[in-house]
Amino acid sequence: MTAFSTWAIVVAAGSGERLGADRPKAFVAFRGGSLVAASLAVLDDHDGIDGIVVAVPEGYETAMSLIADDLAATKIATAVAGGPSRGESVANAVACLPAGVDFVLVHDAARPLLTPSLIDRVLGGLASGADGVVPALAITDSVKRLAADGSVAETLDRSTLRTVQTPQGFVVERLRAAIAAAGDALGAATDCASLVEASGGRVVCVEGDEANIKVTTRADLARAESVAP
Ligand code: CTP
Ligand code: MG
């Protein structure tokens, strides 16, 4: 049996403008710790993850070491300064992965409620040979595409549409190549899978988790806090 090496990247370098707290979003208090600590704890505990790189706002490297100490985390190898966009933060973290890593999961610190079983599903997708794996949810609302004037141009077939979450899993070399090929698209990308898709990679979906919400606003933070741990 081949033992694959799998690392995780947690992107925590955003400012959290829409949350409007007195500190970057990832460092906002959550369940006795911080938002970023919640996902780090789950990833650090998972047997399928061998090491972790965190992208933090410039100047927050020490704060991250303290969080890692507090969690008694054993797998956090590096805290690297992120970039001006999510894509650039991912790129900085990918550059810190050691040689010989096969797979990487990229996760947003803004999603503190990821679960071991969601990680299992993403790892399962990678083991079955995809270049990229995204946790996806079906859409229950009707979805409209708008014309330039804001009127409805068409109603899309929602059965073929999904919303996607993190963690997203990738063959490391596929993600590296996609980042290298992205050019200006890196800064505009809202997820990593879009870069891998654009460079010709095969991305598959696994079942997401309704509870794995993204904290963007104050209301989201309150909702995430209210989910039973
Ligand atoms: N992120 C990052 N580096 C950036 C921008 C975002 O690492 N330059 C991370 C955030 O920390 C977050 C994830 O990417 O975990 C998703 O981004 P988002 O939810 O938009 O967070 P923020 O950019 O911090 O929030 P806002 O857009 O409201 O400022
Ligand atoms: Mg943002």
Side-chain angles (χ1 to χ4, degrees), residues 21 34 44 71 73 75 81 90 94 151 154 180 189 192 195 201 227:
S34 57
D44 196 79
L71 287 171
K75 298 175 187 169
V90 173
V94 167
S151 66
E154 64 170 326
C192 297
L195 302 173
V227 172

mmCIF file with all atom_site columns, all heavy atoms in Angstrom, residues 21 34 44 71 73 75 81 90 94 151 154 180 189 192 195 201 227:
data_model
loop_
_atom_site.group_PDB
_atom_site.id
_atom_site.type_symbol
_atom_site.label_atom_id
_atom_site.label_alt_id
_atom_site.label_comp_id
_atom_site.label_asym_id
_atom_site.label_entity_id
_atom_site.label_seq_id
_atom_site.pdbx_PDB_ins_code
_atom_site.Cartn_x
_atom_site.Cartn_y
_atom_site.Cartn_z
_atom_site.occupancy
_atom_site.B_iso_or_equiv
_atom_site.pdbx_formal_charge
_atom_site.auth_seq_id
_atom_site.auth_comp_id
_atom_site.auth_asym_id
_atom_site.auth_atom_id
_atom_site.pdbx_PDB_model_num
ATOM 1   N N   . ALA A 1 21  ? -15.271 43.570 12.645  1.00 0.00 ? 21  ALA A N   1
ATOM 2   C CA  . ALA A 1 21  ? -14.768 43.434 14.025  1.00 0.00 ? 21  ALA A CA  1
ATOM 3   C C   . ALA A 1 21  ? -13.526 44.311 14.204  1.00 0.00 ? 21  ALA A C   1
ATOM 4   O O   . ALA A 1 21  ? -13.057 44.943 13.269  1.00 0.00 ? 21  ALA A O   1
ATOM 5   C CB  . ALA A 1 21  ? -14.446 41.983 14.317  1.00 0.00 ? 21  ALA A CB  1
ATOM 6   N N   . SER A 1 34  ? -10.899 31.030 18.844  1.00 0.00 ? 34  SER A N   1
ATOM 7   C CA  . SER A 1 34  ? -11.071 31.957 17.730  1.00 0.00 ? 34  SER A CA  1
ATOM 8   C C   . SER A 1 34  ? -11.610 31.164 16.541  1.00 0.00 ? 34  SER A C   1
ATOM 9   O O   . SER A 1 34  ? -11.579 29.931 16.547  1.00 0.00 ? 34  SER A O   1
ATOM 10  C CB  . SER A 1 34  ? -9.735  32.595 17.368  1.00 0.00 ? 34  SER A CB  1
ATOM 11  O OG  . SER A 1 34  ? -8.800  31.570 17.073  1.00 0.00 ? 34  SER A OG  1
ATOM 12  N N   . ASP A 1 44  ? -6.028  19.323 12.800  1.00 0.00 ? 44  ASP A N   1
ATOM 13  C CA  . ASP A 1 44  ? -4.884  18.786 13.540  1.00 0.00 ? 44  ASP A CA  1
ATOM 14  C C   . ASP A 1 44  ? -5.195  17.393 14.109  1.00 0.00 ? 44  ASP A C   1
ATOM 15  O O   . ASP A 1 44  ? -4.326  16.526 14.175  1.00 0.00 ? 44  ASP A O   1
ATOM 16  C CB  . ASP A 1 44  ? -4.506  19.751 14.675  1.00 0.00 ? 44  ASP A CB  1
ATOM 17  C CG  . ASP A 1 44  ? -3.118  19.466 15.230  1.00 0.00 ? 44  ASP A CG  1
ATOM 18  O OD1 . ASP A 1 44  ? -2.140  19.887 14.585  1.00 0.00 ? 44  ASP A OD1 1
ATOM 19  O OD2 . ASP A 1 44  ? -3.023  18.811 16.282  1.00 0.00 ? 44  ASP A OD2 1
ATOM 20  N N   . LEU A 1 71  ? -3.765  25.225 21.496  1.00 0.00 ? 71  LEU A N   1
ATOM 21  C CA  . LEU A 1 71  ? -4.494  24.035 21.025  1.00 0.00 ? 71  LEU A CA  1
ATOM 22  C C   . LEU A 1 71  ? -3.695  22.758 21.278  1.00 0.00 ? 71  LEU A C   1
ATOM 23  O O   . LEU A 1 71  ? -4.214  21.664 21.076  1.00 0.00 ? 71  LEU A O   1
ATOM 24  C CB  . LEU A 1 71  ? -4.737  24.123 19.510  1.00 0.00 ? 71  LEU A CB  1
ATOM 25  C CG  . LEU A 1 71  ? -5.790  25.114 19.003  1.00 0.00 ? 71  LEU A CG  1
ATOM 26  C CD1 . LEU A 1 71  ? -5.715  25.203 17.475  1.00 0.00 ? 71  LEU A CD1 1
ATOM 27  C CD2 . LEU A 1 71  ? -7.181  24.659 19.436  1.00 0.00 ? 71  LEU A CD2 1
ATOM 28  N N   . ALA A 1 73  ? -1.565  21.864 19.306  1.00 0.00 ? 73  ALA A N   1
ATOM 29  C CA  . ALA A 1 73  ? -1.565  21.313 17.943  1.00 0.00 ? 73  ALA A CA  1
ATOM 30  C C   . ALA A 1 73  ? -0.174  20.800 17.617  1.00 0.00 ? 73  ALA A C   1
ATOM 31  O O   . ALA A 1 73  ? 0.818   21.418 17.989  1.00 0.00 ? 73  ALA A O   1
ATOM 32  C CB  . ALA A 1 73  ? -1.978  22.395 16.959  1.00 0.00 ? 73  ALA A CB  1
ATOM 33  N N   . LYS A 1 75  ? 0.645   19.574 14.327  1.00 0.00 ? 75  LYS A N   1
ATOM 34  C CA  . LYS A 1 75  ? 0.902   19.487 12.880  1.00 0.00 ? 75  LYS A CA  1
ATOM 35  C C   . LYS A 1 75  ? 1.098   20.832 12.195  1.00 0.00 ? 75  LYS A C   1
ATOM 36  O O   . LYS A 1 75  ? 1.362   20.874 11.000  1.00 0.00 ? 75  LYS A O   1
ATOM 37  C CB  . LYS A 1 75  ? -0.258  18.744 12.207  1.00 0.00 ? 75  LYS A CB  1
ATOM 38  C CG  . LYS A 1 75  ? -0.408  17.314 12.697  1.00 0.00 ? 75  LYS A CG  1
ATOM 39  C CD  . LYS A 1 75  ? -1.631  16.661 12.089  1.00 0.00 ? 75  LYS A CD  1
ATOM 40  C CE  . LYS A 1 75  ? -1.876  15.283 12.716  1.00 0.00 ? 75  LYS A CE  1
ATOM 41  N NZ  . LYS A 1 75  ? -3.208  14.777 12.321  1.00 0.00 ? 75  LYS A NZ  1
ATOM 42  N N   . ALA A 1 81  ? 2.702   34.832 5.899   1.00 0.00 ? 81  ALA A N   1
ATOM 43  C CA  . ALA A 1 81  ? 1.877   36.011 5.624   1.00 0.00 ? 81  ALA A CA  1
ATOM 44  C C   . ALA A 1 81  ? 1.100   35.792 4.327   1.00 0.00 ? 81  ALA A C   1
ATOM 45  O O   . ALA A 1 81  ? 1.654   35.320 3.326   1.00 0.00 ? 81  ALA A O   1
ATOM 46  C CB  . ALA A 1 81  ? 2.758   37.250 5.513   1.00 0.00 ? 81  ALA A CB  1
ATOM 47  N N   . VAL A 1 90  ? -3.406  31.707 -0.770  1.00 0.00 ? 90  VAL A N   1
ATOM 48  C CA  . VAL A 1 90  ? -3.244  30.277 -1.044  1.00 0.00 ? 90  VAL A CA  1
ATOM 49  C C   . VAL A 1 90  ? -1.882  30.039 -1.700  1.00 0.00 ? 90  VAL A C   1
ATOM 50  O O   . VAL A 1 90  ? -1.150  29.122 -1.310  1.00 0.00 ? 90  VAL A O   1
ATOM 51  C CB  . VAL A 1 90  ? -4.386  29.737 -1.942  1.00 0.00 ? 90  VAL A CB  1
ATOM 52  C CG1 . VAL A 1 90  ? -4.101  28.292 -2.363  1.00 0.00 ? 90  VAL A CG1 1
ATOM 53  C CG2 . VAL A 1 90  ? -5.732  29.832 -1.232  1.00 0.00 ? 90  VAL A CG2 1
ATOM 54  N N   . VAL A 1 94  ? 0.946   27.504 -0.460  1.00 0.00 ? 94  VAL A N   1
ATOM 55  C CA  . VAL A 1 94  ? 1.372   26.365 -1.300  1.00 0.00 ? 94  VAL A CA  1
ATOM 56  C C   . VAL A 1 94  ? 2.899   26.373 -1.434  1.00 0.00 ? 94  VAL A C   1
ATOM 57  O O   . VAL A 1 94  ? 3.539   25.316 -1.391  1.00 0.00 ? 94  VAL A O   1
ATOM 58  C CB  . VAL A 1 94  ? 0.682   26.400 -2.691  1.00 0.00 ? 94  VAL A CB  1
ATOM 59  C CG1 . VAL A 1 94  ? 1.342   25.436 -3.659  1.00 0.00 ? 94  VAL A CG1 1
ATOM 60  C CG2 . VAL A 1 94  ? -0.807  26.075 -2.547  1.00 0.00 ? 94  VAL A CG2 1
ATOM 61  N N   . SER A 1 151 ? -32.664 43.341 -14.988 1.00 0.00 ? 151 SER A N   1
ATOM 62  C CA  . SER A 1 151 ? -33.861 42.511 -15.188 1.00 0.00 ? 151 SER A CA  1
ATOM 63  C C   . SER A 1 151 ? -33.431 41.058 -15.383 1.00 0.00 ? 151 SER A C   1
ATOM 64  O O   . SER A 1 151 ? -32.264 40.777 -15.665 1.00 0.00 ? 151 SER A O   1
ATOM 65  C CB  . SER A 1 151 ? -34.666 43.004 -16.394 1.00 0.00 ? 151 SER A CB  1
ATOM 66  O OG  . SER A 1 151 ? -33.915 42.799 -17.571 1.00 0.00 ? 151 SER A OG  1
ATOM 67  N N   . GLU A 1 154 ? -32.715 35.034 -17.607 1.00 0.00 ? 154 GLU A N   1
ATOM 68  C CA  . GLU A 1 154 ? -33.173 33.645 -17.715 1.00 0.00 ? 154 GLU A CA  1
ATOM 69  C C   . GLU A 1 154 ? -33.194 32.977 -16.344 1.00 0.00 ? 154 GLU A C   1
ATOM 70  O O   . GLU A 1 154 ? -32.564 33.454 -15.396 1.00 0.00 ? 154 GLU A O   1
ATOM 71  C CB  . GLU A 1 154 ? -32.264 32.839 -18.660 1.00 0.00 ? 154 GLU A CB  1
ATOM 72  C CG  . GLU A 1 154 ? -30.853 32.696 -18.155 1.00 0.00 ? 154 GLU A CG  1
ATOM 73  C CD  . GLU A 1 154 ? -30.020 31.692 -18.964 1.00 0.00 ? 154 GLU A CD  1
ATOM 74  O OE1 . GLU A 1 154 ? -30.571 30.682 -19.448 1.00 0.00 ? 154 GLU A OE1 1
ATOM 75  O OE2 . GLU A 1 154 ? -28.806 31.930 -19.078 1.00 0.00 ? 154 GLU A OE2 1
ATOM 76  N N   . ALA A 1 180 ? 0.290   28.698 -11.051 1.00 0.00 ? 180 ALA A N   1
ATOM 77  C CA  . ALA A 1 180 ? 1.321   29.268 -11.929 1.00 0.00 ? 180 ALA A CA  1
ATOM 78  C C   . ALA A 1 180 ? 0.709   29.774 -13.233 1.00 0.00 ? 180 ALA A C   1
ATOM 79  O O   . ALA A 1 180 ? 1.163   30.774 -13.799 1.00 0.00 ? 180 ALA A O   1
ATOM 80  C CB  . ALA A 1 180 ? 2.391   28.221 -12.215 1.00 0.00 ? 180 ALA A CB  1
ATOM 81  N N   . ALA A 1 189 ? -10.065 34.894 -8.201  1.00 0.00 ? 189 ALA A N   1
ATOM 82  C CA  . ALA A 1 189 ? -10.671 33.579 -7.954  1.00 0.00 ? 189 ALA A CA  1
ATOM 83  C C   . ALA A 1 189 ? -11.319 33.529 -6.579  1.00 0.00 ? 189 ALA A C   1
ATOM 84  O O   . ALA A 1 189 ? -10.701 33.925 -5.587  1.00 0.00 ? 189 ALA A O   1
ATOM 85  C CB  . ALA A 1 189 ? -9.606  32.495 -8.063  1.00 0.00 ? 189 ALA A CB  1
ATOM 86  N N   . CYS A 1 192 ? -10.285 27.739 -5.099  1.00 0.00 ? 192 CYS A N   1
ATOM 87  C CA  . CYS A 1 192 ? -9.118  27.164 -5.777  1.00 0.00 ? 192 CYS A CA  1
ATOM 88  C C   . CYS A 1 192 ? -9.534  26.239 -6.904  1.00 0.00 ? 192 CYS A C   1
ATOM 89  O O   . CYS A 1 192 ? -8.828  26.103 -7.908  1.00 0.00 ? 192 CYS A O   1
ATOM 90  C CB  . CYS A 1 192 ? -8.267  26.369 -4.788  1.00 0.00 ? 192 CYS A CB  1
ATOM 91  S SG  . CYS A 1 192 ? -7.581  27.381 -3.491  1.00 0.00 ? 192 CYS A SG  1
ATOM 92  N N   . LEU A 1 195 ? -9.486  27.550 -10.415 1.00 0.00 ? 195 LEU A N   1
ATOM 93  C CA  . LEU A 1 195 ? -8.174  27.650 -11.068 1.00 0.00 ? 195 LEU A CA  1
ATOM 94  C C   . LEU A 1 195 ? -7.794  26.305 -11.687 1.00 0.00 ? 195 LEU A C   1
ATOM 95  O O   . LEU A 1 195 ? -7.259  26.233 -12.796 1.00 0.00 ? 195 LEU A O   1
ATOM 96  C CB  . LEU A 1 195 ? -7.105  28.078 -10.063 1.00 0.00 ? 195 LEU A CB  1
ATOM 97  C CG  . LEU A 1 195 ? -7.341  29.415 -9.346  1.00 0.00 ? 195 LEU A CG  1
ATOM 98  C CD1 . LEU A 1 195 ? -6.293  29.615 -8.260  1.00 0.00 ? 195 LEU A CD1 1
ATOM 99  C CD2 . LEU A 1 195 ? -7.334  30.568 -10.334 1.00 0.00 ? 195 LEU A CD2 1
ATOM 100 N N   . GLY A 1 201 ? -7.952  20.659 -15.257 1.00 0.00 ? 201 GLY A N   1
ATOM 101 C CA  . GLY A 1 201 ? -8.039  19.573 -14.279 1.00 0.00 ? 201 GLY A CA  1
ATOM 102 C C   . GLY A 1 201 ? -9.463  19.046 -14.143 1.00 0.00 ? 201 GLY A C   1
ATOM 103 O O   . GLY A 1 201 ? -10.430 19.748 -14.446 1.00 0.00 ? 201 GLY A O   1
ATOM 104 N N   . VAL A 1 227 ? -24.847 26.692 16.628  1.00 0.00 ? 227 VAL A N   1
ATOM 105 C CA  . VAL A 1 227 ? -24.868 25.276 16.221  1.00 0.00 ? 227 VAL A CA  1
ATOM 106 C C   . VAL A 1 227 ? -24.267 24.447 17.354  1.00 0.00 ? 227 VAL A C   1
ATOM 107 O O   . VAL A 1 227 ? -23.212 24.795 17.887  1.00 0.00 ? 227 VAL A O   1
ATOM 108 C CB  . VAL A 1 227 ? -24.050 25.065 14.916  1.00 0.00 ? 227 VAL A CB  1
ATOM 109 C CG1 . VAL A 1 227 ? -23.899 23.584 14.593  1.00 0.00 ? 227 VAL A CG1 1
ATOM 110 C CG2 . VAL A 1 227 ? -24.700 25.801 13.761  1.00 0.00 ? 227 VAL A CG2 1
#
